[in-house]
Amino acid sequence: MAFQGEVGAIGLADVLGNIAANSLAGTLHVTSDRGEAWLSFDAGAVKGFSRGRGKALSGEEIFHLRTAIKEEDLDALGKKKKRTKKSWPEFVEAQGVMKADAFRQLAMNELTENAVEVFFWAPARFEFVDGSPSEELFDPDLGVFLDVNSLVMEAARRRDHWEMINKVIGSQDDIFMRRRPEPPPEKIPEFQKSVYGLCTGGMTLRDIEARTKATRFQVYDAVSELVRSNLLRPLAPDEMVRLAEEHAKASRTAEAIRLYKRSLETEHANVGVREKLAEVYVRHGDAPKAAGEYKQLAHRMMEQGEFDSAIEFYRKAVKLSPDDAPAREKIVQVLKQAGRRDEAATEALKLALLSRKLLLHDRALAALDAAVECNPSLKEAQELRVETLLTLGRKTEAVRQLEAMADRAKGDDAMVAILERAVQIEPARADLKKKIDDVRSGRLHRRRKFFRKLLVSSVFTLVLAAVLGACGWELWARWNYDRVTSDVNQFLMKSEYEPAVRRLREFSRRHPWTLAARRARDESEAIRTFGIVAIQAQIEKAAEGDAEALRAKLAALRAAE
């Protein structure tokens, strides 16, 4: 019978219990965002595990993961196995490699390790199809059967352990070291002692798993227990960096990369560590990842406004990945922001060449527009812009570009050559043909010379008129100033300071931008100051009745504008 559903609505333990209770034979397929897996059943017991076609749990994989057998010996053993119909337990005992029961125990442990992992996939979907399992998915000669009840109980036990493990361990690349140099206590299990001896701060959990040939759960569980017993501690980020530097010096670049990456998980903004990671990626021969790290560094420098550093990092990225068009666009952008427009034009031209190579002509045109904007005299960019416009079928714009180039050309021959090229693109342009004739006959130069002379003479005339006008205006102001001065003197003889100030201020407003106006403003301020002092002195000496009139006169003078 076949059935399917969602893990969660129906627990995977219930699904396996149903298969075991009915002694079903078939294949259970489980899928989730963590991957997919297949389990084969016979009479309700688990007999095989696979992650896809050609990815079955096999005898060779078990030997490779859990024994110290050499690769060449394992290859030879696998070839011999293909020539026999014996199951793996029978075969290895017949070959004298190990006892059949010992292999069965290894196979049971590995089958349990893989099958239990599926219990923790959620959300997930499952589908059970009855019938004989496919030999394309499973190794038919594994020779073991795993009781479902034992598997469910082990999954329940491990669930509690994994909750504790996940509080201590983040990934396979975590590194732990002993808190004290002395040997571990005698009371701890032997496997924990082995793991304790390997935790010297130089091996990841992945390395320990490979060294001990133990399962991941066994290693993680042992490390978790040792950490809770205060015997181990995780490596601090700065310790990871120091250890990574030692690995890098010894050319162990893979180990250095893992350590630098782990350090950055806790100190993501550490620019120095990320730069070292990029350098090690280069030495490791992984140019794309090195370029990615340099781009991250450049982005961070831009956020901090350090444009020169950002440009340097982007250039390193482009050197490692020459066809990275977005990185080249960033270089152009940052150079423009930094005011280095000539360099921006050169980089934009390089981007345009790359875009044309990749047949991205619209992007090439945008890059060339930027190049011409930054450096209008960059001839290569102008010529390539014409070619790109023609490739895009935009002839009119290409001709306009050629006309602009002709206007800036040095020499008649160069101008004629550019204009003739424009005529080839648009033969109906009579104005271009006439312009060519004018250049050849010299009429264009004579016309330009005439207009230059006309422009010079016009400017001279305007300047002269402005000078004469300014002189006339100043003379007119001087003549009026003499008349105003006469009136002011009469006011001062009568001690009428306020009318004198108002007369001078009025003159200043009517004759702006003249020296006479400036002199009038200065004189009015001097009279105003003198008048205030003089009236205040009169108030001190005057009788009460006269003082009131003087105070009014003082207020009017102070308010005079």
Side-chain angles (χ1 to χ4, degrees), residues 51-295:
R51 295 191 182 276
R53 296 184 186 278
K55 298 179 181 179
L57 176 63
S58 63
E60 289 100 327
E61 183 180 354
I62 293 169
F63 269 106
H64 173 72
L65 291 173
R66 308 305 170 205
T67 69
I69 189 171
K70 296 179 180 178
E71 289 294 330
E72 56 268 25
D73 295 337
L74 181 57
D75 290 341
L77 191 66
K79 290 176 182 177
K80 290 180 181 179
K81 174 65 181 68
K82 290 177 181 177
R83 295 196 294 267
T84 179
K85 294 184 178 180
K86 294 179 179 179
S87 66
W88 272 99
E90 296 169 343
F91 172 71
V92 296
E93 186 167 17
Q95 293 294 315
V97 177
M98 67 170 57
K99 293 292 186 182
D101 287 342
F103 179 83
R104 287 191 185 95
Q105 189 60 49
L106 283 177
M108 290 284 284
N109 291 343
E110 197 62 29
L111 186 57
T112 301
E113 183 76 14
N114 284 276
V116 164
E117 182 184 344
V118 180
F119 277 78
F120 306 121
W121 290 4
R125 286 191 57 79
F126 70 86
E127 180 181 13
F128 180 80
V129 179
D130 55 1
S132 299
S134 169
E135 292 190 6
E136 293 182 355
L137 279 174
F138 301 100
D139 185 345
D141 298 329
L142 205 55
V144 294
F145 292 89
L146 181 59
D147 180 64
V148 167
N149 291 327
S150 299
L151 179 61
V152 171
M153 290 177 64
E154 180 64 16
R157 183 183 76 84
R158 291 194 184 188
R159 184 180 296 278
D160 296 334
H161 281 257
W162 274 113
E163 287 180 2
M164 293 184 287
I165 288 169
N166 289 333
K167 293 177 182 178
V168 175
I169 297 172
S171 80
Q172 284 180 287
D173 294 318
D174 283 358
I175 298 174
F176 292 82
M177 65 184 302
R178 291 173 286 195
R179 288 187 179 275
R180 293 173 292 276
E182 61 264 18
E186 288 297 326
K187 62 182 180 180
I188 67 174
E190 287 300 318
F191 183 68
Q192 287 188 19
K193 289 180 182 178
S194 301
V195 172
Y196 181 86
L198 295 172
C199 289
T200 58
M203 297 179 70
T204 64
L205 295 181
R206 189 198 310 271
D207 298 330
I208 294 173
E209 185 180 339
R211 179 71 66 85
T212 60
K213 297 296 181 181
T215 64
R216 183 173 303 172
F217 174 76
Q218 289 173 318
V219 173
Y220 283 22
D221 192 43
V223 170
S224 175
E225 289 291 337
L226 290 167
V227 170
R228 284 197 297 275
S229 300
N230 209 30
L231 295 173
L232 295 180
R233 67 172 178 84
L235 213 61
D238 58 328
E239 293 174 318
M240 291 183 195
V241 172
R242 285 197 296 270
L243 185 58
E245 289 170 350
E246 291 177 11
H247 282 306
K249 288 178 183 177
S251 297
R252 295 188 293 270
T253 52
E255 291 82 353
I257 287 168
R258 282 203 298 269
L259 286 165
Y260 281 135
K261 289 174 69 177
R262 288 292 295 133
S263 175
L264 286 170
E265 287 177 10
T266 53
E267 295 184 342
H268 184 74
N270 193 318
V271 173
V273 174
R274 192 170 295 282
E275 188 171 3
K276 289 176 182 177
L277 174 59
E279 291 168 358
V280 175
Y281 268 132
V282 173
R283 291 174 56 190
H284 192 63
D286 197 338
K289 287 186 178 178
E293 295 299 332
Y294 279 128
K295 285 192 286 185

Side-chain angles (χ1 to χ4, degrees), residues 269-272 274-275 278 290-318 324 326-335 337:
N270 193 318
V271 173
R274 192 170 295 282
E275 188 171 3
E293 295 299 332
Y294 279 128
K295 285 192 286 185
Q296 286 198 51
L297 286 165
H299 180 70
R300 188 165 295 280
M301 292 299 102
M302 282 188 66
E303 288 179 339
Q304 297 174 5
E306 298 180 17
F307 296 126
D308 290 342
S309 297
I311 292 164
E312 180 184 351
F313 285 130
Y314 273 129
R315 280 180 167 159
K316 286 183 177 181
V318 166
D324 189 343
R328 290 188 180 276
E329 288 177 346
K330 283 290 187 181
I331 293 177
V332 175
Q333 176 187 339
V334 182
L335 284 167
Q337 287 181 270

Side-chain angles (χ1 to χ4, degrees), residues 314-366:
Y314 273 129
R315 280 180 167 159
K316 286 183 177 181
V318 166
K319 186 176 180 180
L320 293 166
S321 183
D323 291 346
D324 189 343
R328 290 188 180 276
E329 288 177 346
K330 283 290 187 181
I331 293 177
V332 175
Q333 176 187 339
V334 182
L335 284 167
K336 287 172 70 177
Q337 287 181 270
R340 295 158 62 175
R341 300 184 70 80
D342 286 348
E343 291 179 69
T346 303
E347 292 295 338
L349 179 59
K350 292 178 182 178
L351 172 60
L353 291 168
L354 171 62
S355 299
R356 282 177 62 85
K357 173 185 167 186
L358 299 174
L359 303 180
L360 302 173
H361 298 294
D362 286 325
R363 174 177 280 181
L365 182 60

